[in-house]
Amino acid sequence: MADGGASFGYLGVSRSLSGRLWRERPADAELVRRHQLSHGLSEPLARALAARGVGAEQAETYLNPTLKALFPDPSTFTDMDRAAAILVDALERKRPLVVFADYDVDGASSAAQLVRWFRALGHDLPIYVPDRILEGYGPSPAAFRRLKAEGADLVITVDCGAAAHDALACAAEIGLEVVVIDHHLMRGEEIPHVAALVNPNRPDCVSGQGHLAAAGVTFVLLAALNREARKRGLFGERAEPDLRQWLDLAAMGAICDVTELRGFNRALAAQGLKVMSGWRNPGLKALMDVAKGQGPASVFHVGFILGPRINAGGRIGRADLGARLLSTDDPQEAAALALELDGLNASRKEVEREVTEAAIAHIETESNAPDAPMLLVAQDDWHPGVIGIVAGRLREKYRKPVVVVGVDRAANVGKGSGRSQPGVNLGRAVQAAFDEGLLLAGGGHAMAAGLSVRPETIPELRAFLCERLAAETEIAAAEDALEIDALVATRGADRALWQDFQRMAPFGPGNVEPSFALADVRVERPMALRGGHVRCTLTDSSGGKLKAVSWRVEGSEAGRRLMTEGGAVHVAGRLKPDDWQGRCGVEFEIEDVADPRRA
């Protein structure tokens, strides 16, 4: 399928209009043949599986990911059985419980699962979600003191808590019992002193499920709770909860937290989308209705329609709206919450657009050189709820690590959020900056980080991060390549091809969506769309015509080339379904463009 040697790039593209090398995704030829023969797959599809590391013995569960085949033993998670025993005991003794959740989709969907399980057992479980701006991320001593004063006896933290050492120490002092359900990386070997701490990323956990979102860990906890309650005979007079009805919530967390969709997590996402497609959760149905979405649930619906609206509550609205939406059984309450979240999401988009435009102006005219190893941009009063999204947008545009800081002059502090390029460990650099005394707080992982900084220290911080990341960024830029799964013609890029590759869905980290290349295509009827997008038709010598769109390319070299008819180009991207008005066709989503004369 390849055209051109590796040194010249796929289709000869060593440098596209975005500056990237194209290369064919490598796959073992013998494994490709085994997949073809064993499972009756087309060569391109078998090749795509092999290229994603799917071995001969794994292909069956990959193509048909079931919970029965992939569900882990809850007991392999450290403290899982202990947590289940504590919570069922609290249920039996009617202790006052509160679930303390993070303000994003993963936190909301984790909390909603627990609320629904306890409700099925006849117990009302209140939700507490900290305000992003006033309280910050995760548990705090002040929040725990407040919950204790209001009568809470036991707090279950979900999607947070594993690193909240000060808050957990405070809880111990005031006699507040805490069970932590988390998935975030933990620093060092020290385990906080709590009643139970379930986290597949704690150093002594042997579950092998470190890629799960908190919603996935919570779903395993529900299985442990059912097992413990069954052992105590609690299902003699009431039905045992069927956990499958809440798979849609587990899938929400897995997809929106951008976790690796492999193994058990892939089964959660795949089966959860099937459950979601019935739209039996009143909150999800109301949100889908207000967003005017349609059809069976997909990763697109979760990641681009439902997820951003749920997150909008935590970003610029009331932090608990998402968790309340996902846990309510009242259609009227769900409709009201969905309407409020939809409005907040519209406001979030406008705030995000303003901050993005201002940040680009800073980068290109003031505070940063566009060719610096990393970009750090800061301005007064940028909303802390959108700086992470803006950092991600800028990372896509400039293809290097970006940190965006919103400065609060009254408090004399800047809150920053960063997103990184593959191969550049931004979290480690931020931790080093904290160790150097340049930050008030800071941490994260390779691809994302958060920080707090004094405004007067920002220039010094920028210089430190640029120096610290220079070597990694240089190597990452040299290796910044777009990997292609198959070369297709416009006539062959049809619904049947898209349907064939849907056997690999759901897509996400650890199972990237297939990327196709079209060679020597001509661009016809280009049209600039609001938002900086370009829509056009692609034609080639096969005689086919393929509708295409390229997102957010205004002002880029690729965008300008797509708006210019005449002359052949190579394009790379993904096939998407086009079901508008019952068409049942496909559209090509262009990710990159190469000029054969310059590639």
Side-chain angles (χ1 to χ4, degrees):
M1 304 288 285
D3 185 358
S7 60
F8 295 104
Y10 194 79
L11 292 173
V13 179
S14 58
R15 187 174 179 81
S16 69
L17 296 186
S18 69
R20 282 184 284 178
L21 167 75
W22 290 8
R23 64 184 177 210
E24 185 177 44
R25 205 180 296 277
D28 178 75
E30 177 57 33
L31 182 55
V32 173
R33 282 192 291 272
R34 289 185 67 181
H35 283 333
Q36 284 183 268
L37 294 173
S38 300
H39 302 283
L41 307 180
S42 65
E43 193 275 342
L45 180 57
R47 188 175 215 292
L49 260 63
R52 282 155 182 76
V54 180
E57 67 287 348
Q58 301 165 320
E60 180 57 41
T61 54
Y62 176 90
L63 293 168
N64 183 31
T66 64
L67 294 179
K68 182 178 180 180
L70 297 166
F71 206 102
D73 179 358
S75 298
T76 60
F77 290 73
T78 302
D79 271 5
M80 181 69 84
D81 292 337
R82 179 171 173 77
I86 291 169
L87 296 182
V88 174
D89 186 60
L91 177 74
E92 288 189 295
R93 292 165 53 193
K94 296 182 170 53
R95 294 175 66 190
L97 309 178
V98 175
V99 60
F100 187 112
D102 189 18
Y103 35 64
D104 68 358
V105 174
D106 195 22
S109 55
S110 299
Q113 289 180 70
L114 282 174
V115 168
R116 290 181 174 281
W117 188 87
F118 274 91
R119 185 183 295 151
L121 272 291
H123 188 97
D124 182 40
L125 183 62
I127 300 172
Y128 183 92
V129 183
D131 184 278
R132 177 191 291 263
I133 297 173
L134 299 178
E135 299 179 78
Y137 168 79
S140 65
F144 278 169
R145 286 194 183 96
R146 174 181 170 184
L147 291 173
K148 178 69 174 178
E150 292 175 352
D153 192 34
L154 171 61
V155 172
I156 313 158
T157 71
V158 290
D159 195 28
C160 58
H165 293 272
D166 291 345
L168 296 175
C170 172
E173 288 175 11
I174 62 178
L176 181 65
E177 194 170 18
V178 180
V179 170
V180 175
I181 309 298
D182 205 349
H183 73 123
H184 291 98
L185 296 176
M186 299 175 63
R187 292 179 184 170
E189 299 293 318
E190 184 182 353
I191 306 298
H193 181 66
V194 292
L197 193 156
V198 182
N199 182 348
N201 283 306
R202 63 181 281 175
D204 57 345
C205 186
V206 297
S207 67
Q209 300 293 329
H211 55 290
L212 289 180
V217 181
T218 303
F219 193 79
V220 178
L221 172 64
L222 298 191
L225 289 171
N226 264 7
R227 187 168 66 183
E228 181 68 21
R230 189 184 314 121
K231 193 164 59 177
R232 299 192 189 196
L234 297 190
F235 299 134
E237 296 181 0
R238 70 173 76 239
E240 179 173 331
D242 184 351
L243 304 185
R244 291 173 297 181
Q245 65 185 308
W246 303 318
L247 275 167
D248 50 1
L249 296 172
M252 287 293 301
I255 294 167
C256 291
D257 228 47
V258 201
T259 57
E260 288 195 21
L261 299 184
R262 55 184 174 86
F264 169 59
N265 205 33
R266 175 173 163 79
L268 276 181
Q271 300 304 323
L273 288 172
K274 292 179 183 177
V275 171
M276 193 184 301
S277 295
W279 302 111
R280 288 186 292 273
N281 181 295
L284 290 176
K285 182 181 187 305
L287 203 55
M288 191 69 161
D289 289 344
V290 80
K292 296 180 171 56
Q294 58 181 347
S298 67
V299 169
F300 173 80
H301 291 114
V302 173
F304 294 94
I305 295 179
L306 301 172
R309 286 169 169 80
I310 294 170
N311 273 333
R315 292 190 185 281
I316 63 173
R318 297 210 320 275
D320 65 345
L321 291 177
R324 287 172 56 200
L325 177 85
L326 296 180
S327 56
T328 185
D329 284 325
D330 182 348
Q332 287 187 316
E333 182 186 18
L337 290 169
L339 201 60
E340 186 173 357
L341 285 168
D342 188 60
L344 287 170
N345 189 56
S347 300
R348 186 271 306 169
K349 286 181 179 178
E350 183 59 25
V351 173
E352 177 196 325
R353 182 190 62 78
E354 292 172 355
V355 174
T356 301
E357 290 177 355
I360 291 172
H362 273 286
I363 289 169
E364 299 190 347
T365 63
E366 297 176 27
S367 59
N368 292 274
D371 58 351
M374 65 82 58
L375 303 173
L376 189 155
V377 59
Q379 183 171 300
D380 291 0
D381 300 324
W382 277 347
H383 199 294
V386 302
I387 56 175
I389 303 176
V390 172
R393 294 270 188 254
L394 298 178
R395 200 282 310 169
E396 291 176 13
K397 179 178 177 66
Y398 295 103
R399 307 202 64 75
K400 62 181 64 178
V402 176
V403 175
V404 178
V405 179
V407 178
D408 182 343
R409 290 291 172 185
N412 192 36
V413 66
K415 294 291 183 69
S417 185
R419 298 294 182 268
S420 195
Q421 189 74 348
V424 184
N425 193 324
L426 180 60
R428 186 168 57 199
V430 167
Q431 181 61 46
F434 176 77
D435 294 340
E436 285 288 314
L438 296 174
L439 298 174
L440 300 172
H445 52 79
M447 297 301 292
L451 56 86
S452 296
V453 60
R454 293 294 181 205
E456 62 271 17
T457 312
I458 288 174
E460 188 179 354
L461 174 64
R462 181 186 294 117
F464 177 88
L465 292 176
C466 280
E467 181 180 359
R468 184 87 181 187
L469 296 174
E472 288 182 49
T473 300
E474 184 177 358
I475 295 170
E479 296 179 351
D480 185 16
L482 180 62
E483 295 194 309
I484 311 293
D485 284 291
L487 179 67
V488 296
T490 56
R491 188 178 290 279
D494 55 14
R495 187 75 174 204
L497 180 66
W498 174 81
Q499 194 69 52
D500 193 29
F501 273 82
Q502 281 304 292
R503 298 179 67 181
M504 296 173 59
F507 302 113
N511 186 46
V512 294
E513 190 170 356
S515 183
F516 301 100
L518 289 92
D520 297 314
V521 294
R522 294 185 177 276
V523 178
E524 294 182 353
R525 298 189 296 280
M527 180 192 312
L529 304 177
R530 185 179 178 184
H533 319 309
V534 173
R535 191 174 292 282
C536 61
T537 299
L538 303 175
T539 65
D540 62 13
S541 58
S542 72
K545 288 183 180 290
L546 181 62
K547 292 195 300 182
V549 65
S550 188
W551 306 114
R552 294 188 293 275
V553 290
E554 184 179 40
S556 70
E557 195 168 358
R560 288 189 289 271
R561 180 63 187 84
L562 289 173
M563 288 300 297
T564 306
E565 293 186 86
V569 295
H570 301 329
V571 297
R574 296 165 292 273
L575 276 178
K576 299 290 184 179
D578 178 16
D579 296 325
W580 179 249
Q581 295 182 331
R583 284 194 186 107
C584 199
V586 291
E587 181 176 67
F588 194 74
E589 196 173 88
I590 300 171
E591 181 178 354
D592 204 4
V593 182
D595 189 330
R597 297 165 298 181
R598 298 167 50 193

